[in-house]
Amino acid sequence: MSQHRHPGAPGRTGAVPAPPDLPEATVARLPEYLRALHQLADAGHETVSSEGLANAAGVNSAKLRKDLSHLGSYGTRGVGYDVGLLIDQIEFVLGLTQRRAVALVGVGNLGHALAGYDGFASRGFRIAALLDADPSRIGEEINGLVVRHVDELPRVAAEESISIGVIATPAPAAQAVADQLVAVGVTSILNFAPCVLSVPEGVDVRKVDLAIELQILSFHEHRKASLTALPATGGTLTPLPGGLAATDTQEAIGT
Amino acid sequence: MSQHRHPGAPGRTGAVPAPPDLPEATVARLPEYLRALHQLADAGHETVSSEGLANAAGVNSAKLRKDLSHLGSYGTRGVGYDVGLLIDQIEFVLGLTQRRAVALVGVGNLGHALAGYDGFASRGFRIAALLDADPSRIGEEINGLVVRHVDELPRVAAEESISIGVIATPAPAAQAVADQLVAVGVTSILNFAPCVLSVPEGVDVRKVDLAIELQILSFHEHRKASLTALPATGGTLTPLPGGLAATDTQEAIGT
DNA sequence: GCTTGTGAAACAATTCACAGCA
DNA sequence: TGCTGTGAATTGTTTCACAAGC
């Protein structure tokens, strides 16, 4: 959730047209359903109830049904959903019927790991190019792909029909890379650099920041600790700063 | 968004007690504000307006002000927020006044990268232990830390006061690792394995799935393509399956 | 005059609960 | 009888717009 602009639904021109314009929250869950469905399919299930799929995906069944209803999906009352059919539908909606080519820029620590991550290949993506600005990295081969200089991006984008750009550079380089990606026509960017990118209307950016995830957990950890720290003590504490960390107990691990 | 259970606000016992119980959406944004604030501080700003900070953090200013108001934060009308003070407040709320110890389980491709990621150290965390189940990895040194066997978790957790567990194992191993983490008292888990973890009440799990992020981008890419593909054609297309991919045009890169 | 803090309005997402169908 | 699909109720989030304060 962050930089997303939606072109505004085209005012109902007649018969329901192209993609059903799903709620963003639903879109974010479809991939998880898809994963769960593949798992079920591998286990030999041909059909699954909303309850069963919801469990496998870690959501509740009402939400799942509402999500699927947005796809206009057809389950069978009294029976459930056809696993194979649902997989096809979700893959279609997510635009995964074609294998998308991804360009990864920044082959440092994290970039290296991403370049070698099988999860991409197995879930509809093809890392089509590795790029970096550091001359000492050019030519290195990772997982069968040779690292090329980021200036070759225009050529690479054209040759490989790059659909999505992934930025795994240090923060100071990220905006320039984003600009270059946009310049060659990339309209979807996944950004691992801890910074805000500014991009023109119509370009989608998603951000993954590993430290942020930890900080969110830290908040909950902190909160749980403060709650158990005061069994029923009504007053006494001034937990917001001024005098920082007055009662910042060391969060008991265990009970 | 996913597996989170909240103990339910303790019904106002008297004076406002411990942590202000922020909306989850706000919590998720605080780390971003914090990053932006540090950036501003480094650039020499002592004070910043909601507008300025909002820009740096990539949100709009009304949202930012509402978020900060939940902290009970004190800006100065007509002036803005004191950068240093706000940093302290947010760090306090996020529980970052103590440096938290993180145990990383799974030192494969991704785990390696995480072990070497500076972003953790620089933002309040300390990777205190690297663990793996694969005997051939035990003893390897990464970034000054020796990989230990996951069975040593109980000892490690006690020695290092582990606050957060990070799972970077393959999916099939993840649940077992989660169970072990929970058993030694870890109540916050960051899961990189593409699967749903089941954990007892009171344990927070956040999931990062790199392929899912790409799939969400793929959806938008697909959607943008279908929109531009029909300049104003009212009918003709049956974009939902049955006959899959009927009009799944190759998404024009560029204009 | 400029900027915060915040009620009130608008919007979005989730959950409930049940009618409708196989 | 069992399970989906969905209106209606609820809860949560964002945005607006302006009064209050420096």
Side-chain angles (χ1 to χ4, degrees), chain A residues 17-151:
Chain A
D21 224 345
L22 311 171
E24 197 51 38
T26 296
V27 173
R29 282 187 296 262
L30 289 180
E32 189 66 50
Y33 300 159
L34 188 55
R35 194 200 44 74
L37 283 163
H38 274 124
Q39 187 179 283
L40 287 164
D42 290 350
H45 293 74
E46 307 219 311
T47 179
V48 65
S49 68
S50 64
E51 188 67 30
L53 181 51
N55 281 343
V59 301
N60 79 40
S61 62
K63 183 143 65 181
L64 178 110
R65 287 202 301 280
K66 175 95 18 156
D67 282 341
L68 294 186
S69 80
H70 287 121
L71 307 188
S73 163
Y74 287 6
T76 316
R77 292 170 202 238
V79 179
Y81 300 92
D82 180 293
V83 172
L85 192 78
L86 202 45
I87 287 176
D88 287 348
Q89 282 210 49
I90 295 180
E91 290 191 339
F92 173 80
V93 170
L94 291 179
L96 299 173
T97 47
Q98 60 182 289
R99 174 162 292 253
R100 286 177 187 275
V102 173
L104 170 58
V105 186
V107 204
N109 207 358
L110 181 59
H112 241 90
L114 295 174
Y117 184 54
D118 343 305
F120 292 152
S122 68
R123 297 210 259 154
F125 301 92
R126 181 174 68 87
I127 301 217
L130 302 179
L131 304 159
D132 204 301
D134 179 350
S136 75
R137 291 194 188 278
I138 311 298
E140 184 183 349
E141 188 178 317
I142 304 172
N143 230 19
L145 264 184
V146 174
V147 177
R148 303 166 73 175
H149 193 273
V150 69
D151 288 345

Side-chain angles (χ1 to χ4, degrees), chain A residues 1-4 6-10 13-22 24 27-32 34-35 39 55-58 71-72 88-89 92-98 100 102 109-110 112-120 123-125 157 161-166 184-190 192 194-196 202-224 226-227 230 232-235 237-241 244-254, chain B residues 1-4 6-10 13-22 24-25 27-32 34-35 39 55-58 71-72 88-89 92-98 100 102 109-110 112-120 123-125 157 161-166 184-190 192 194-196 202-224 226-227 230 232 234-235 237-241 244-246 248-254:
Chain A
M1 86 210 36
S2 55
Q3 313 179 21
H4 275 278
H6 294 293
T13 16
V16 261
D21 224 345
L22 311 171
E24 197 51 38
V27 173
R29 282 187 296 262
L30 289 180
E32 189 66 50
L34 188 55
R35 194 200 44 74
Q39 187 179 283
N55 281 343
L71 307 188
D88 287 348
Q89 282 210 49
F92 173 80
V93 170
L94 291 179
L96 299 173
T97 47
Q98 60 182 289
R100 286 177 187 275
V102 173
N109 207 358
L110 181 59
H112 241 90
L114 295 174
Y117 184 54
D118 343 305
F120 292 152
R123 297 210 259 154
F125 301 92
S161 303
I162 296 298
S163 181
I164 298 177
V166 175
V184 301
V186 171
T187 54
S188 292
I189 295 176
L190 179 53
F192 286 92
C195 63
V196 173
V203 175
D204 282 293
V205 176
R206 290 191 66 86
K207 185 181 168 187
V208 174
D209 186 325
L210 308 175
I212 284 184
E213 298 301 322
L214 287 186
Q215 289 176 324
I216 297 172
L217 285 172
S218 173
F219 168 83
H220 290 295
E221 205 50 37
H222 181 47
R223 198 168 134 291
K224 283 181 279 195
S226 338
L227 285 177
L230 18 141
T233 332
L237 322 157
T238 46
L240 269 187
L244 269 185
T247 344
D248 198 15
T249 62
Q250 88 120 356
E251 272 113 41
I253 300 248
Chain B
M1 89 210 29
S2 56
Q3 312 177 23
H4 275 275
H6 295 291
T13 17
V16 261
D21 224 345
L22 310 172
E24 197 52 36
V27 173
R29 282 186 297 261
L30 289 180
E32 190 66 50
L34 188 56
R35 194 199 45 72
Q39 189 178 283
N55 281 343
L71 308 189
D88 287 348
Q89 282 209 50
F92 174 79
V93 170
L94 291 179
L96 298 173
T97 47
Q98 61 181 288
R100 288 177 184 275
V102 173
N109 208 358
L110 181 61
H112 243 89
L114 295 175
Y117 184 53
D118 342 305
F120 292 152
R123 297 211 260 154
F125 302 92
S161 302
I162 296 298
S163 181
I164 299 177
V166 175
V184 301
V186 172
T187 52
S188 292
I189 296 176
L190 179 54
F192 286 91
C195 64
V196 173
V203 176
D204 282 293
V205 176
R206 290 190 67 85
K207 185 181 167 186
V208 174
D209 186 325
L210 307 175
I212 283 185
E213 299 300 324
L214 286 186
Q215 289 176 325
I216 295 171
L217 284 172
S218 173
F219 168 83
H220 290 296
E221 205 49 39
H222 182 46
R223 197 169 135 290
K224 283 181 280 195
S226 338
L227 285 178
L230 16 141
L237 323 155
T238 45
L240 269 185
L244 269 185
D248 198 14
T249 62
Q250 90 119 356
E251 273 114 41
I253 300 246

